[in-house]
Amino acid sequence: MNLPIRARSRTRRRWAVAVVVGGLALAALVPVGAPAQAVVHAEGHATSRTSAASRTAAVATTSAAGTITTVAGGPGGPAPATRVAIWFPCGVGYRAGYLYVGDQLVQRVSQATGELVTVAGGVRRPALPGDRAPLGDGGPAADAATSACGSAVDAHGNVLLADTTGREVRVVAARAGTFYGQAMRAGHIYRLAGNGRVGTSGDGGPAAQAALGDPIAVATDSHGNVIVADAGVAGQRVAARVQVVAASSGTFYGMAMTAGHIYRVAGETANLRVGGDGGPATAAGLGASIGQVQPDAHGNLVLADAAAGEVRVVAASSGTFYGQRMTAGHIYRVAGDGHRGFSGDGGPATRASLAGPLGLALDGAGNLVIADSGNDRLRVAAVTSGTFYQQKMTAGDIYLVAGCGARCGLGEGGPAPKGRLIDPDGVAVDGAGNLAVSEFGAGRISNDRRVRAVAVRTGEFYGRPMTAGHIYTVAGDGSRGYSGDGGPATAAMIESTSDRMVTDSAGNLLIPAGQNNKVRVVPAASGTYYGVKMTAGRIYTVAGDGFGYSGNGGLATRAGMNFPDGLAIDSHGNLVLADGGDNRIRVIAVRTGTFYGQRMTADHIYTVAGDGDGRFAGDGGPALRAALHVPGGLAVDGHGNIVSADEDNDRVRVVAASSGTFYGRRMIAEHIYTVAGDGHRGYSGDGGPAAQAALSSPTDVTVDGHGNLLIADQGNDRVRVVAAVSGTFYGVRMTAGNIYTVAGDGRAGFSGDGGPATAAMLASPTGVTVNRQGTLFVGDYFRIRTVVG
């Protein structure tokens, strides 16, 4: 039950905080669909970029203190698809002019214009073992948590998706009506199959009560039945299966089926070994890894069997298909020799070696288009002889049509066989016959997470001109790498792992490009900053020149780093950064002078805390001799002290800039002190002394206008406050020096908008900041939410 909170009036101190929020104040610089997380900022350095957040906060402050509201984040688009970050493209499908991309969310790209919109999933669902956060079934699809790879569109226009983490097959209704035996509302999402548990139970019974393994892909046949590629879970001895959810009662695939029930048509449930070709499909072993499954023109089911290294067919009727005599209900190999490798192009498909084929589509001629994931290539097994994809092909043989391996060039706009594809795991044939392929990337080349198209004829598709036989990016902006220094910021590749950006007093945007081991700047105006001559709107590196700790006391642009994360600007304008992987806090001086007890030269970098040893030691002593363990979020308080979230030590620590009493402790300049967290990972201590409380992976900190210290207590799914003075803040009565929860009830999920923040569910909050009106912004896993101060 939501209880009303009485608003309390109090005099607010004027405290300027630079607020930069992904997708809010910097929409032009942050890709649509990127993680919307609050970021660390320098107190006392407001810029014009605070205006959008301030306007939003002004509206928010009309609510009662402690009320939480989402102000940014959720579904991506509409936007040009090539300007949107595609995180984990793991499947594609096509219907009626639209390409559907499984990206945890389900995205739809117009073949005509290239415009992208999100059709399901207001938030990407974390793929964590045991994560049972509410999925949102029965509610609006835009508010649902998803982790979808495969998707399909049925004859009614409803979108079917395979939710791998939720272990469900789900439906987004295109219009109001009754589908699959359920009354549905337009735009809402419903569970069609799967009870959320891993297993093999429920075969022959209601689909929604059956246990699935890892539903990875879906399709529909000519009868409207839903075909599910249910990949196995090896660790739980659940083998891969192909299953069918009957849309109507009748006999399909040689079985009598009841509408709404689920049936196994291929795969032996207890057999993790591969085998059974030529025999009954239900007795065959599919191993523990399958990919897309598609019905062909004869009703046979064609399956990409990654574990077998084969493409296999379950015959729907007896006859001759793919050059083989087949018996109804039996399974046959039609491509791949069962040996992992790359060979056989130009010869018989059954003698060729494949490596983990995952994607599969059938083109207009009935040819099998195979995403040969482990070989980083797209191949075609010809079903009839003729000229396809600018090649003369012989029926039964296999040919390369796109991809040149992992080490060749991207090949954008050039011949498809010379273009790079990294882990292509999904393929579809669009209405023009073009081949669309998703690149999962698998982390080998982080910016190769795109959807690309191989044009079959010259023309304009997805909003861009294409040449027959060439390859083009149609979705994904490639922003997960590093490039573009000195060029337009909007064209640069940035690997920003935390989005803890900051603006300086000149309005320049500073970005911690963690995986690139650099700090980059987009200047607001032309000039020289941090020793680098810059042009407005372009991007530059101001710190970092390689992996690992080096360069202390020298030019920042020549220093080595390891995952720089948190950033802050101190009252002198110096840039303070958390060199997280090196377990140090470092400072780049903006002018020559003495700071933090050290003589510094302009544009040079200096360590001010941490000896590089990833442990906990040194509290109460010199900061340079102390041990930190993955320092992350940073803030500089009104006294000039550096506040750091010492994440793996489960503490918040302070490097004193001067001697005095801060956060209830007597401190000596340049020494380090714990102000929150007792070092034991957990949740305890609310209402008591902050240093005796338990935190869990605190990732970010900020200081509000009253001097209170706010902590993103990520592992506890809460935001907590160490009160600097006694009073009521964020709707909670506080005593100076004690710690309190102001947002989150400790359960991972999304709920509670419009009610008390302490009764709301958060999902791994990673960022906190407070604007000049006293509104707290929380980065809450692809959303930004506010708590009225």
Side-chain angles (χ1 to χ4, degrees):
M1 180 173 64
N2 294 332
L3 299 177
I5 299 175
R6 186 182 301 276
R8 298 175 183 268
S9 63
R10 64 177 186 270
T11 302
R12 297 184 185 274
R13 286 175 55 192
R14 292 187 59 82
W15 191 271
V17 181
V19 178
V20 182
V21 179
L24 184 61
L26 289 171
L29 296 177
V30 180
V32 176
Q37 296 173 326
V39 290
V40 180
H41 308 286
E43 286 74 10
H45 292 274
T47 73
S48 61
R49 297 185 186 275
T50 64
S51 58
S54 299
R55 287 193 297 270
T56 303
V59 174
T61 53
T62 63
S63 302
T67 300
I68 191 168
T69 307
T70 297
V71 295
T82 52
R83 298 182 186 176
V84 176
I86 300 292
W87 276 48
F88 299 107
C90 55
V92 286
Y94 178 86
R95 189 177 180 95
Y98 292 98
L99 185 67
Y100 291 82
V101 182
D103 180 28
Q104 293 190 319
L105 311 180
V106 177
Q107 318 267 21
R108 187 183 71 196
V109 182
S110 167
Q111 181 187 328
T113 66
E115 191 86 345
L116 177 146
V117 297
T118 298
V119 296
V123 60
R124 289 173 171 86
R125 180 175 170 81
L128 300 175
D131 176 11
R132 296 299 303 152
L135 292 171
D137 286 337
D143 292 338
T146 65
S147 181
C149 275
S151 62
V153 182
D154 68 15
H156 302 285
N158 305 315
V159 178
L160 300 152
L161 60 97
D163 194 318
T164 54
T165 305
R167 306 194 189 281
E168 296 181 354
V169 176
R170 306 169 79 184
V171 179
V172 180
R175 57 181 173 82
T178 299
F179 309 103
Y180 307 103
Q182 298 183 57
M184 299 185 182
R185 297 176 62 184
H188 283 216
I189 192 167
Y190 301 86
R191 177 164 54 100
L192 172 64
N195 60 13
R197 294 189 292 273
V198 177
T200 59
S201 64
D203 196 32
Q209 298 176 23
L212 304 180
D214 187 2
I216 195 69
V218 287
T220 59
D221 65 17
S222 60
H223 302 284
N225 302 315
V226 178
I227 306 159
V228 183
D230 189 5
V233 182
Q236 299 191 42
R237 304 294 300 173
V238 174
R241 295 163 288 169
V242 176
Q243 306 202 70
V244 170
V245 180
S248 59
S249 297
T251 300
F252 312 103
Y253 308 102
M255 299 182 186
M257 299 187 181
T258 300
H261 286 208
I262 192 168
Y263 300 86
R264 175 173 54 91
V265 297
E268 207 285 307
T269 57
N271 187 4
L272 286 172
R273 295 182 179 180
V274 173
D277 283 338
T282 53
L286 303 183
S289 178
I290 59 174
Q292 285 179 279
V293 59
Q294 296 289 336
D296 67 14
H298 303 282
N300 306 311
L301 297 182
V302 190
L303 166 69
D305 192 336
E310 300 173 353
V311 175
R312 306 170 83 177
V313 171
V314 179
S317 59
S318 297
T320 299
F321 311 104
Y322 306 98
Q324 301 181 48
R325 184 67 185 167
M326 299 186 181
T327 300
H330 286 210
I331 193 168
Y332 301 86
R333 175 171 55 91
V334 295
D337 62 2
H339 297 93
R340 184 180 179 88
F342 175 66
S343 68
D345 274 350
T350 53
R351 297 181 187 174
S353 293
L354 308 176
L358 284 170
L360 179 75
L362 289 91
D363 66 17
N367 302 314
L368 306 181
V369 185
I370 305 162
D372 193 0
S373 182
N375 284 321
D376 303 306
R377 289 170 168 89
L378 202 62
R379 304 168 82 176
V380 169
V383 173
T384 58
S385 297
T387 300
F388 310 103
Y389 310 104
Q390 288 73 53
Q391 299 182 53
K392 189 167 182 61
M393 298 186 181
T394 300
D397 288 0
I398 194 169
Y399 300 86
L400 172 70
V401 295
C404 50
R407 297 185 181 278
C408 60
L410 182 64
E412 180 71 15
K418 296 182 179 180
R420 185 177 67 224
L421 294 174
I422 298 297
D423 292 316
D425 62 350
V427 64
V429 180
D430 70 17
N434 305 311
L435 304 182
V437 57
S438 56
E439 294 183 85
F440 184 73
R444 290 190 285 156
I445 299 179
S446 61
N447 60 316
D448 278 44
R449 288 178 178 169
R450 311 167 188 257
V451 178
R452 307 182 79 190
V454 178
V456 295
R457 59 181 174 84
T458 299
E460 184 168 318
F461 312 102
Y462 303 100
R464 63 182 302 179
M466 297 186 182
T467 300
H470 288 204
I471 191 168
Y472 302 85
T473 296
V474 296
D477 65 356
S479 62
R480 294 184 62 85
Y482 171 76
S483 72
D485 255 16
T490 52
M493 294 181 183
I494 302 171
E495 185 75 44
S496 181
T497 56
S498 71
D499 288 343
R500 293 192 182 104
M501 300 172 285
V502 65
T503 53
D504 63 18
S505 58
N508 304 317
L509 174 68
L510 294 99
I511 306 166
Q515 290 193 6
N516 302 138
N517 303 305
K518 300 178 187 293
V519 176
R520 307 179 78 182
V521 172
V522 180
S526 299
T528 299
Y529 310 99
Y530 308 99
V532 179
K533 188 174 182 179
M534 302 184 185
T535 300
R538 296 184 175 246
I539 193 167
Y540 303 85
T541 293
V542 297
D545 184 29
F547 172 79
Y549 177 72
S550 67
N552 197 51
L555 285 169
T557 51
R558 298 180 184 175
M561 296 181 180
N562 184 358
F563 257 76
D565 195 355
L567 299 178
I569 307 292
D570 69 15
S571 59
H572 304 285
N574 302 314
L575 175 62
V576 186
L577 65 95
D579 191 355
D582 287 323
N583 300 305
R584 292 174 167 93
I585 297 172
R586 306 173 80 176
V587 170
I588 300 172
V590 293
R591 59 180 174 83
T592 299
T594 299
F595 312 104
Y596 307 101
Q598 300 182 51
R599 185 68 179 169
M600 299 185 181
T601 301
D603 311 320
H604 286 42
I605 191 168
Y606 301 85
T607 296
V608 296
D611 62 2
D613 195 351
R615 58 190 178 90
F616 174 73
D619 243 27
L624 284 169
R625 298 180 189 173
L628 309 177
H629 200 186
V630 192
L634 292 177
V636 178
D637 68 19
H639 303 283
N641 305 313
I642 299 172
V643 186
S644 170
D646 195 357
E647 184 172 346
D648 280 9
N649 280 324
D650 300 299
R651 290 175 162 91
V652 175
R653 303 171 81 180
V654 169
V655 178
S658 58
S659 297
T661 300
F662 313 106
Y663 307 101
R665 296 196 60 171
R666 182 71 184 163
M667 300 186 183
I668 298 173
E670 290 89 51
H671 286 210
I672 193 168
Y673 302 85
T674 293
V675 295
D678 63 1
H680 296 91
R681 181 162 295 183
Y683 174 70
S684 69
D686 262 10
Q692 298 176 22
L695 306 177
S696 181
S697 299
T699 56
D700 197 15
V701 291
T702 194
V703 180
D704 70 13
H706 301 278
N708 302 316
L709 172 61
L710 293 99
I711 305 166
D713 195 357
Q714 182 184 37
N716 285 321
D717 299 301
R718 291 174 164 94
V719 175
R720 303 171 80 179
V721 171
V722 180
V725 294
S726 297
T728 299
F729 310 101
Y730 311 102
V732 178
R733 182 71 183 168
M734 301 184 185
T735 300
N738 288 4
I739 192 168
Y740 302 85
T741 293
V742 296
D745 65 1
R747 296 177 297 157
F750 172 69
S751 72
D753 269 8
T758 52
M761 294 171 67
L762 305 180
S764 299
T766 54
V768 287
T769 195
V770 180
N771 71 0
R772 70 179 71 187
Q773 284 78 21
T775 299
L776 166 63
F777 290 77
V778 182
D780 181 27
Y781 200 78
F782 293 92
R783 285 179 167 86
I784 295 174
R785 306 176 77 181
T786 63
V787 180
V788 178

